[in-house]
Amino acid sequence: MSRRVRIATTSLAGCFGCHTSFLDMDERLLRLAGQVELDRSPLTDRKQIRHCDIGLIEGGLCNSENIELLRRFRACCTTLVALGACAVNGGIPALRNRYTLEECLREAYLEGAGIENPQIPDDPELPRLLENIHPIHELVTVDYSLPGCPPPADAIWALLQDLIAGREPVPPLELIRYD
Amino acid sequence: MMQGAAPVGESWITGLAATCGGDATALLPILHEAQERFAYIPRAVMQQIARTLSLPLAQVEAVVEFYHFFSSQPRGRYDIFFSSCVIDRLRGGDESARLLCERLRVTPGGSRADGVVSVRHTSCTGMCDQGPALLVNGHAIAGLDRERSEQMASLIERRIPLREWPRGLFRIAGNIRRSGPLLSGEIPPGAALQRALSLGRKGLLERLERSGLRGRGGAGFPTALKWRACREAPGEHYVVCNADEGEPGTFKDRELLRRHAHAVFEGMTLAAWVIGARRGFLYLRGEYRFLLQHLEQVLAERRGMGLLGERIGGGRDFGFDITIRLGAGAYICGEESALLESLQGNLPRPRNRPPYPVTHGLFGQPTVVNNVESFAAAAHIALNGDRWLTARGTEHSRGSKLLSISGDCARPGIYEFAFGTPLEEILDACGARDLLGVQMGGPSGNWITPAEFQRSLAFEDLSSAGALMVFGRERDLLEIVHGFSRFFAHESCGFCTPCRVGTGLQARLVEKLCLGRGCDRDLERLRSLGELMSATSHCGLGQSAPNPVLTTLAAEPQRYRKRLNSTAFTPDFQPLRELRSCGRRE
Amino acid sequence: MNGPTFTIDGRSVPFTEGQSIIQAAREAGIYIPHLCYHPEFRPHGSCRLCVVEAGGRSVPACSTPAVAGQQVRNRTERLDRMRRTLVELLFVEGNHFCPACPKSGNCKLQAVGYWLRMLDTPFPYLFPRRELDASHHDVLLDRDRCIFCELCVRASREVDRKNLFAIGGKGTRCRLLVNSPDGRLGSSGLSLGDRALQVCPTGALLPRKGAFHVPVGRRLYDGRSIAESDE
Ligand SMILES: Cc1cc2nc3c(=O)[nH]c(=O)nc-3n(C[C@H](O)[C@H](O)[C@H](O)COP(=O)(O)O)c2cc1C
Ligand code: SF4
Ligand code: SF4
Ligand code: SF4
């Protein structure tokens, strides 16, 4: 392969833990840098996405911006990967699905303990919220998933090496985890 | 007396328990009484029932939660259940439900604030030949047109007690359209029994065996084999008649019980005599409560004639009696082992098999469970010889079969046809023309397209426990399948994973297709889910729940394709509908 | 040894009359995935994970008797695929947020998911709203994680002799009921030593103290699969 594999990453309703785990690949990041070119990603701070070979999505869907961004990634990436528990099944943010959005906002901004100046943020710049958190496969086609909160760096490494080499990724049993 | 009712005296329940047998089998009848009395079953009453019957409270609670016609929350004084059967809906069920709800100012699924009315939906009520139908406090009202809806609304608004409503409202038509040996034959009470006594037990079993009678409840198991195996098993024996008739589109047992109850009871008595049972049960679906009085009366007559009770037929060694138990709205109770659990006061969940009921049935004792029609046919064979059955039918399916025909045809009702009759002939007889297809055997059966109408009624060809649902060309196949899939999601008992979760997902995916939001992936998901459910489900319900989807998908893929969204992938939720602008009022 | 035998994936397995396929398999050291089966209790047959092929049909190994000479198939691609889907369905119908669950690492549902290489599911999550019961001093009942295996029901009835649990409801509205006057765990008489608590394969019934005490890496299924540590 002459061109380096182009990768984009993003975090939707996630905590950047998966990105941190990505960085946990440590010195292997240097080898990766030789294999891939990072496109749009919080790690590059590039704001526009070009056509990419691989898109790594951290986090599920909680608002209109997530929806747009995920669709954009899907349109631009040949292979889309759900990276981590939140992208795969909603994860911790989806704990809020047992309440209505209204209840959550009231608790967070009006009635919870220690709130000063209670008010629900209503700046028109803010993205609109989804009534429920959704895993990303409910909105777009997902090619591969890597569960874990976060997925171990070794698992991310193994997955990327498989994808870069054009192999069907088969995660080693000991690297599959949901927590 | 309604909401917040003071718990009744313990004596009321002990009294009831005593009349119902005093053991766990009394649970269902006591719950019926309590539901009727309070319009729900208060926890305090559950506690007393549990104490009286020596059952864990959680078991009583579980049973109350399971059955559709019991409720742990107050319901209206007039508690209405609309039939959500696909056929009732073809006949305008939704429209009449809407009208009645409007008149009564109540939303389906809810109760009116004053506690007078509550409205819900229930599965098929067994009135597809005269729908749309509903139940009010457990009593069936069919042919629900505008006029009847208005009439009901007015009776309810004037708080007229149900027992003072015009009898005509509760009239259920017979709709017997074509009779054969079973429907036109008469058995003078006791005649078959007398013949059997002269034949001897072995003689009767041989006669039954020669006739080749196979069970009419669906599986087609040879009846003689069942009776013989049960007879040979050691223990205290029981006879159970399965009158649950819960498969949507089936209502033939309704008329057998109404017109030929003697024959059915005689068949049960024969079985009891052969296997050595002293007790029998007829498990009647709750929707057929209107038959209860009549059936009790026939039982009383038979006791009077010495055909039930001690020393039947003058013999010293033969005593047998029959108790009727009323179901409470759960399709799974038609599955024989769930039915037995229900009788025992347990959650009606199908048992692991083996062992089978013939050796480990009611209370773990040898039990014969047969369909209503099977018992009636057995009585005829006992009286008239095996030729009565073998004169008709095919090699593997002897005799005739009752069909409940409903849907888009000129003459819905009950038809008796010889096995081997081609479907076209049957459809001709009921006046069905220009069809999209038929659903043979109800939702758990198969979709048959016009190209297959030359196939014939038989266990080895088109098998049906009694339902034949007819759909005209103008009908929407996906809506039909949607109705069926909702039925299964509603009726899954929840015991096993593939059916509990699978039926729910299946209904959701079919709904998505109906809304025109489906994509190829949804068809794939339906197929793999269907394969899983039929291969791994614990009982017949889950195993057959994907049938309507799988058979229509195989036979009519283009009807599905036409409804797919043009995009390759469609989401599982509607993002625009779910977006909220927080803080700001929308 | 000349008792009856049958085969599992071609391997000869001895059994005694009346044993189920899974019992004989266990004695021979062959793992057949399961969740609701437990050797101490009568087979239940609800999870369906132990589905095997025998006599041309798919049957549950826990409640199907072994038959001499029969050829049973356990590890086929089709069976493992169906099992994986069954586990997916269990995840989809509940609320399993493993990162926040004290049972994580010791959970059979999770471990069998790993073993079957379940990474995700094509199905939408149902996110049910189920009632949490925190009324007991020592034990939490988190119905979000209940898979209706009825192990607690059986253990409480047969071992603890307290009969504290039952499954109520129907279909996806099933829920675990507590057999106490107010229906809550606090007044049920459940104690920490109850077998019912120990056999729960998931984090539905959990001791409140001791959560997250065992460090990651030393939990039951860290570093060894459920097939290796099967009880
Ligand atoms: C979900 C389900 C529902 C059933 N419903 C009925 C029913 O309503 N009536 C009936 O006779 N058999 C029903 N059956 C079949 C019974 O389990 C049983 O096979 C039958 O009652 C045996 O009687 P037979 O041999 O006379 O047919 C049902 C089976 C299943 C799996
Ligand atoms: S298949 Fe469905 S109805 Fe039958 S046991 Fe399983 S959940 Fe219950
Ligand atoms: S019970 Fe098991 S599968 Fe469920 S959240 Fe806890 S660890 Fe995960
Ligand atoms: S609480 Fe645990 S043991 Fe009990 S049914 Fe639920 S998952 Fe099984």
Side-chain angles (χ1 to χ4, degrees), chain B residues 549-577:
Chain B
V549 170
L550 295 180
T551 56
T552 54
L553 206 48
E556 317 256 14
Q558 73 293 351
R559 288 192 193 273
Y560 280 84
R561 300 227 81 84
K562 251 188 1 218
R563 290 285 270 277
L564 296 186
N565 190 295
S566 53
T567 49
F569 183 98
T570 51
D572 282 326
F573 66 105
Q574 288 170 281
L576 290 180
R577 282 226 192 147

Side-chain angles (χ1 to χ4, degrees), chain C residues 40-41 136-139 152 155-156 158-162 164-165 188-200 205-209:
Chain C
E40 278 173 43
F41 303 101
H136 195 287
H137 187 257
D138 300 321
V139 181
C152 61
S156 185
E158 290 160 29
V159 180
D160 306 330
R161 308 237 165 249
K162 294 185 182 174
L164 296 186
F165 300 103
S188 70
L190 180 77
S191 49
L192 269 177
D194 280 9
R195 192 77 183 114
L197 191 55
Q198 297 153 7
V199 292
C200 179
L205 269 175
L206 265 184
R208 302 180 81 147
K209 296 189 194 76

Side-chain angles (χ1 to χ4, degrees), chain B residues 215-219 226 242 244-246 331-332 334-336 369-371 374 540-541:
Chain B
R216 290 345 194 192
K226 189 182 277 188
N242 187 343
D244 195 58
E245 191 154 70
Y331 168 60
I332 194 58
E335 196 283 337
E336 57 184 8
V369 184
N370 275 125
N371 175 251
S374 312
L541 191 155

Side-chain angles (χ1 to χ4, degrees), chain A residues 85 88-92 94-100 103 131-135 137-138 142-149 169-174 176-179, chain C residues 87 91 95-100 104-105 109-125 127-132 142 144 216 219 223 225:
Chain A
V88 170
N89 64 20
I92 301 296
L95 281 167
R96 86 150 154 91
N97 287 356
R98 65 158 49 247
Y99 308 99
T100 63
E103 286 167 337
E131 182 64 40
N132 290 292
I133 301 283
H134 291 274
H137 75 276
E138 295 181 16
V142 171
D143 299 301
Y144 301 102
S145 301
L146 197 58
C149 183
V170 182
L173 213 50
E174 65 280 5
I176 301 178
R177 48 189 281 182
Y178 307 151
D179 62 358
Chain C
V87 177
F91 271 88
N95 289 311
H96 294 278
F97 303 110
C98 297
S104 198
L109 175 62
Q110 196 184 54
V112 85
Y114 295 162
W115 191 79
L116 291 164
R117 295 179 173 278
M118 180 194 113
L119 299 174
D120 57 9
T121 177
F123 298 107
Y125 281 82
F127 296 118
R129 291 184 184 176
R130 296 181 182 162
E131 198 186 341
L132 182 94
D142 188 340
D144 280 347
V216 174
R219 303 168 304 180
S225 77

Side-chain angles (χ1 to χ4, degrees), chain B residues 1-5 12 31-42 45 68-79 81 111 115-118 120 137:
Chain B
M1 253 274 303
M2 303 294 308
Q3 269 108 339
W12 177 70
L31 291 177
H32 271 297
E33 295 279 346
Q35 177 75 37
E36 189 161 332
R37 185 159 174 170
F38 304 108
Y40 78 115
I41 304 175
V45 172
H68 210 49
F69 298 157
F70 297 147
S71 161
S72 55
Q73 299 302 317
R75 294 220 183 129
R77 195 186 317 164
Y78 299 91
D79 191 19
F81 285 92
S111 298
V116 173
V117 215
S118 54
R120 297 174 149 224
N137 296 355

Side-chain angles (χ1 to χ4, degrees), chain C residues 216-229:
Chain C
V216 174
R218 278 202 261 136
R219 303 168 304 180
L220 187 55
Y221 301 112
D222 287 334
R224 59 183 179 151
S225 77
I226 191 166
E228 294 159 318
S229 47

Side-chain angles (χ1 to χ4, degrees), chain A residues 1-111:
Chain A
M1 205 186 287
S2 53
R3 183 169 71 80
R4 278 187 298 170
V5 172
R6 197 181 288 155
I7 297 185
T9 77
T10 191
S11 176
L12 308 176
C15 69
F16 283 94
C18 297
H19 278 84
T20 311
S21 193
F22 184 96
L23 295 178
D24 273 347
M25 283 193 280
D26 297 335
E27 73 281 358
R28 282 171 296 187
L29 284 171
L30 295 175
R31 266 162 68 197
L32 196 64
Q35 295 172 307
V36 308
E37 164 192 3
L38 264 190
D39 195 70
R40 173 177 173 151
S41 166
L43 308 172
T44 57
D45 211 24
R46 192 196 279 273
K47 296 290 188 268
Q48 294 302 320
I49 181 172
R50 288 172 294 170
H51 179 81
C52 288
D53 301 289
I54 302 170
L56 303 178
I57 309 287
E58 167 192 318
L61 300 162
C62 80
N63 63 27
S64 51
E65 194 210 358
N66 294 163
I67 291 174
E68 258 178 62
L69 191 55
L70 179 58
R71 286 190 159 143
R72 181 105 195 95
F73 261 69
R74 179 66 276 183
C76 292
C77 301
T78 311
T79 299
L80 199 71
V81 179
L83 188 67
C86 302
V88 170
N89 64 20
I92 301 296
L95 281 167
R96 86 150 154 91
N97 287 356
R98 65 158 49 247
Y99 308 99
T100 63
L101 180 59
E102 166 94 22
E103 286 167 337
C104 292
L105 292 172
R106 296 189 72 84
E107 175 66 22
Y109 293 108
L110 301 180
E111 290 156 8

